[in-house]
Amino acid sequence: MNNAPSPSSGRKVSCWPRWPEADEDTERAVIRALQSGRLAVSGSKSIWQSQNVAAAATVARMSGRRHCVLVTSGSSAIVTALHALGIGPGDTVAMTATTWVSCATSVLRVGATPVFFDATPESPCGDVATLAETPSAILGIHLYAQHFDVDAARARFPGVPVVEDASHAQFGATADGRRIGSLGDVSILSLQATKIITSGEGGAVLTDDPETAARLESLVMDSRRRTDVVSRTSANELEPAHLLHGANHSPPEFAAALLVDQLARFDRQARRRAEGAAILAGALDGSRWSMAADRSAVAGGAFYGVAVRVPAGVGSPAEVVAAVEEQTGLILDSVYPPVVEGPLYLPETIKQYAALRAPEVPLPHSRTWHREYVVVPHHAFLADESRLVHLAATLRGLDREPAALRPALPRDRPTIEVVMVTRGDRDTLEAALAGVAKQDVDAEVRLTVWVDADRVPAAVADTGCAVVTLGADGMLPNEPFARIAALRELAAAGCTGDFIAFLDDDNEWDPDHLSSLLAVADAGYPAAHSWRTLIDHSGSLATVDRFPWLPPSEAAAELFEQLSAVRVLEPGSPIVRDRAVIPAAGLNGMVDMGAWLLRRDLLRLLTFRRTRSEAEIQARVGEDDILLEQIRRLDIPVGCTETPTLRYRLGGMSTPEYRKPESPVPDATSAAPSTSAASVVTSEVSS
């Protein structure tokens, strides 16, 4: 490549819009499906409306169709569409050679032979005029913000059914205003996770003909159909259709619930994509980089991605993809290779398909699209203007444009919300607050102090941070564990930042604590934690000779030996090497609450409290034990800085035996529980 990217400086830009968009509404939609008791089309009866039915009706309406049948994938959509049209062994189905391999594989699955026509210099969707023989059916595929010409296909082969694949152009429109998805004899959609409308994995088949719709239902529900009259003794809401022999291609209610949520977002996203495409086109104007797209597809914002031609001499698409990822954090795609030349098309390896490989045909234009274009994915066009301008500048820079002409890299400054819970009566509070103020991190840090008292401590008032006072209003439980867990949950529920961190009022952070955690989070970890350094009541380094989160006992001494064997604790060392998982018998992990940096959307899935057994209370199981239990149970990816940036003071509520002599030791009923010898997870809070 002529212009290799320079090494990136600082934190890599990674804040392109996430896809698919998901928030509290998405979570509620999926939970609703669970609560309905209706998990599958053949599952239990329910008075709750089927999300499959609701989503199918919306997809039909938005596609300009009368009927929609949802299926488990785009591949299943093609299979059922071809079966409904009577396509099978001895038939041929024509399609552009520039497409995803499953389009051809789906034809093989019905026993037909896929035949390919070349792309054109103007469009990867191709031209059926190059076909030498009349096919049994045509799979017309819209690709990369360009539309297959269904009218031309019908004119070339009158009477040949057209299956319109609108997976790259869901709910789009042609130049003359006709709805994409309504043009074929039957139309299909993939609803896979990368598509502009997704159910995670799924598909849809669309038709205006009620008889075809009935055949499709039978094909996807094991020869059955839905019925409005359900017998009291029926196991489900289906009955024999007496039409076509089917199979199970029906998606679960969870997928349909996600689809309902995503459909509600489409109009807003389409408008933003159209605006973003105009911004990128304008920023590339006058350069050798050109976007290949139908004007109507771009203007409507209903496109899977936009193909951009790489100027001669710049490098291969793979080199451009690598350079753009390095300089912007965005991963571009490449145009599909010709199916028959790609590594995934292997019909001869399956006995059923071995005889169905079509004769080879010249595919020069399909090869050109694969070798000379990159694809900007649709979610990139949801980004703000500065990011799209920078993307254009990066592309222009790869074409030897002087670096001085490129705009500066837009900076992403995530928001970290720091939560501190305090009664305000500890002499360590001021140092804890100062540690937050000294954080050297490329982020907006917002501190909220939750004061479990009627007045705001002077040390807190002087910081100017947000303060919430609770007082003794009877709204919170009195038991220490339940109280601090409730406070944690109240605080977390009110946070709006990208990340949340907790700091106790008797602990401190080194200045690089949040920056080191953020670097781990930037690698994709939704949960990151540090190590910690033990200190005593005066702030001096401290060492221990037993597990300090249990009272002095043989169990505490034995646990210290076990943790020393795996270097979580070490004799004579103040360092605690917290781990979410400790690879030793009987040890699950230990991470202090003040060591975590958690994505806010992850924290919505977690709770700080549950009922504890008497044994757990005696073992000092705390709210960070409970948090880590859930992180492990959900198999959340956890990263660690492997740096002791949390200064953890012994002598707090979870280690009362280390209090300075003049400090009273709380009795067992008032000491806040913290760490269990069974799960080995530590906590330190003030309540």
Side-chain angles (χ1 to χ4, degrees):
M1 192 163 184
N2 291 334
N3 226 9
S6 58
S8 59
S9 59
R11 209 161 56 86
K12 179 183 285 190
V13 179
S14 58
C15 292
W16 289 87
R18 298 176 68 188
W19 190 260
E21 288 185 348
D23 53 24
E24 292 91 340
D25 288 340
T26 314
E27 294 165 12
R28 282 191 285 267
V30 175
I31 292 172
R32 176 226 185 264
L34 177 64
Q35 292 187 348
S36 75
R38 182 199 293 275
L39 302 184
V41 69
S42 58
S44 301
K45 294 179 291 187
S46 174
I47 63 172
W48 294 62
Q49 182 187 22
S50 165
Q51 293 298 279
N52 269 282
V53 172
T58 303
V59 171
R61 175 180 57 80
M62 295 177 69
S63 300
R65 288 289 201 177
R66 291 189 177 91
H67 305 282
C68 170
V69 176
L70 297 181
V71 294
T72 51
S73 69
S75 301
S76 292
I78 296 173
V79 169
T80 53
L82 293 175
H83 275 315
L85 292 172
I87 301 298
D91 292 327
T92 59
V93 179
M95 69 189 75
T96 177
T98 301
T99 190
W100 178 240
V101 64
S102 67
C103 293
T105 304
S106 299
V107 173
L108 296 173
R109 285 169 61 188
V110 303
T113 300
V115 295
F116 302 98
F117 49 86
D118 196 14
T120 69
E122 296 76 26
S123 173
C125 302
D127 185 354
V128 296
T130 60
L131 288 171
E133 299 181 5
T134 301
S136 307
I138 297 169
L139 182 61
I141 306 169
H142 307 295
L143 291 162
Y144 306 119
Q146 300 204 52
H147 296 153
F148 176 78
D149 193 337
V150 175
D151 293 339
R154 285 204 171 105
R156 177 72 173 84
F157 297 110
V160 173
V162 175
V163 177
E164 179 194 21
D165 186 339
S167 302
H168 274 208
Q170 295 156 320
F171 314 138
T174 62
D176 59 4
R178 290 179 296 165
R179 183 67 63 189
I180 297 295
S182 70
L183 305 179
D185 295 87
V186 176
S187 300
I188 71 99
L189 302 174
S190 167
L191 301 172
Q192 186 263 347
T194 63
K195 301 301 191 292
I196 61 175
I197 289 295
T198 179
S199 59
E201 186 64 87
V205 192
L206 300 149
T207 181
D208 290 327
D209 178 34
E211 292 185 8
T212 301
R215 290 160 65 87
L216 289 166
E217 268 205 341
S218 181
L219 285 165
V220 305
M221 292 190 289
D222 287 313
S223 313
R224 295 172 293 181
R225 65 186 177 189
R226 291 184 175 87
T227 177
D228 294 329
V229 180
V230 182
S231 164
R232 183 178 60 83
T233 58
S234 296
N236 54 48
E237 299 166 356
L238 302 176
E239 65 180 8
H242 304 296
L243 288 172
L244 293 179
H245 179 79
N248 183 6
H249 294 285
S250 295
E253 284 286 298
F254 291 116
L258 174 60
L259 178 58
V260 169
D261 170 80
Q262 295 296 302
L263 288 166
R265 303 169 189 268
F266 174 78
D267 288 341
R268 172 182 55 80
Q269 292 171 343
R271 288 193 297 271
R272 179 60 201 141
R273 268 192 297 270
E275 293 168 359
I279 290 169
L280 183 62
L284 290 175
D285 189 39
S287 73
R288 294 201 301 153
W289 296 85
S290 58
M291 294 169 52
D294 289 349
R295 182 172 299 180
S296 61
V298 172
F303 54 83
Y304 176 70
V306 176
V308 180
R309 190 162 196 165
V310 179
V314 168
S316 69
E319 290 174 307
V320 171
V321 169
V324 170
E325 193 278 333
E326 174 66 25
Q327 296 188 37
T328 74
L330 176 67
I331 299 178
L332 303 180
D333 202 351
S334 57
V335 172
Y336 300 129
V339 170
V340 293
E341 298 176 4
L344 307 181
Y345 189 61
L346 306 168
E348 63 277 358
T349 64
I350 302 297
K351 187 175 183 179
Q352 179 184 352
Y353 305 153
L356 299 179
R357 183 183 273 273
E360 293 186 9
V361 294
L363 301 171
H365 301 308
S366 293
R367 292 192 188 101
T368 296
W369 279 95
H370 176 59
R371 293 173 180 172
E372 297 184 8
Y373 285 82
V374 293
V375 178
V376 181
H378 64 87
H379 71 270
F381 295 99
L382 302 177
D384 58 40
E385 180 175 359
S386 63
R387 187 156 306 288
L388 290 165
V389 169
H390 185 263
L391 171 61
T394 300
L395 294 174
R396 298 175 74 128
L398 298 177
D399 194 20
R400 296 180 174 175
E401 184 170 292
L405 299 181
R406 303 182 216 169
L409 180 70
R411 296 179 65 198
D412 288 305
R413 287 178 54 83
T415 299
I416 300 175
E417 296 206 34
V418 178
V419 174
M420 184 179 295
V421 177
T422 183
R423 281 182 175 171
D425 55 0
R426 278 181 167 167
D427 57 7
T428 55
L429 174 59
E430 190 170 348
L433 292 167
V436 177
K438 292 177 182 177
Q439 289 302 296
D440 182 13
V441 58
D442 187 18
E444 178 188 352
V445 178
R446 299 201 300 249
L447 171 64
T448 302
V449 179
W450 287 66
V451 181
D452 192 9
D454 293 321
R455 60 181 180 81
V456 179
V460 174
D462 291 344
T463 66
C465 68
V467 181
V468 179
T469 57
L470 296 168
D473 55 9
M475 296 297 293
L476 294 173
N478 290 322
E479 193 274 322
F481 167 81
R483 190 175 188 88
I484 194 62
L487 284 167
R488 298 271 199 217
E489 290 195 348
L490 280 172
C495 290
T496 59
D498 302 299
F499 298 95
I500 300 175
F502 295 89
L503 180 62
D504 302 326
D505 63 358
D506 58 346
N507 293 335
E508 302 169 29
W509 284 338
D510 290 345
D512 61 341
H513 177 74
L514 291 179
S515 62
S516 59
L517 287 169
L518 193 57
V520 174
D522 276 344
Y525 289 99
H529 69 85
S530 69
W531 289 344
R532 51 186 151 155
T533 301
L534 299 178
I535 57 176
D536 62 18
H537 58 83
S538 68
S540 301
L541 297 180
T543 60
V544 294
D545 57 4
R546 64 172 177 83
F547 185 71
W549 296 279
L550 284 178
S553 61
E554 291 185 9
E558 180 182 348
L559 188 50
F560 180 79
E561 291 182 6
Q562 289 179 284
L563 292 171
S564 296
V566 292
R567 299 193 67 233
V568 173
L569 296 173
E570 283 191 284
S573 172
I575 304 302
V576 181
R577 298 176 178 85
D578 286 292
R579 299 183 192 175
V581 177
I582 299 175
L587 303 179
N588 291 331
M590 54 186 290
V591 180
D592 183 69
M593 190 67 72
W596 284 113
L597 183 69
L598 302 166
R599 288 192 64 94
R600 181 173 60 89
D601 54 0
L602 168 64
L603 201 54
R604 290 204 306 265
L605 305 179
L606 308 175
T607 182
F608 293 92
R609 49 181 166 171
R610 62 163 172 75
T611 302
R612 295 173 301 144
S613 67
E614 284 299 321
E616 289 176 323
I617 292 173
Q618 293 302 316
R620 299 182 179 177
V621 170
E623 81 279 6
D624 46 2
D625 296 78
I626 292 172
L627 189 79
L628 186 52
E629 284 174 2
Q630 298 163 78
I631 288 173
R632 288 171 52 83
R633 184 169 63 249
L634 295 173
D635 196 22
I636 305 298
V638 174
C640 179
T641 66
E642 300 189 353
T643 306
T645 53
L646 169 65
R647 293 173 61 81
Y648 181 93
R649 183 172 275 103
L650 295 170
M653 294 179 65
S654 61
T655 55
E657 295 83 7
Y658 291 87
R659 286 175 180 260
K660 54 186 177 181
E662 63 271 22
S663 298
V665 178
D667 60 35
T669 60
S670 63
S674 172
T675 301
S676 98
S679 61
V680 191
V681 188
T682 62
S683 166
E684 181 59 33
V685 295
S686 170
S687 175

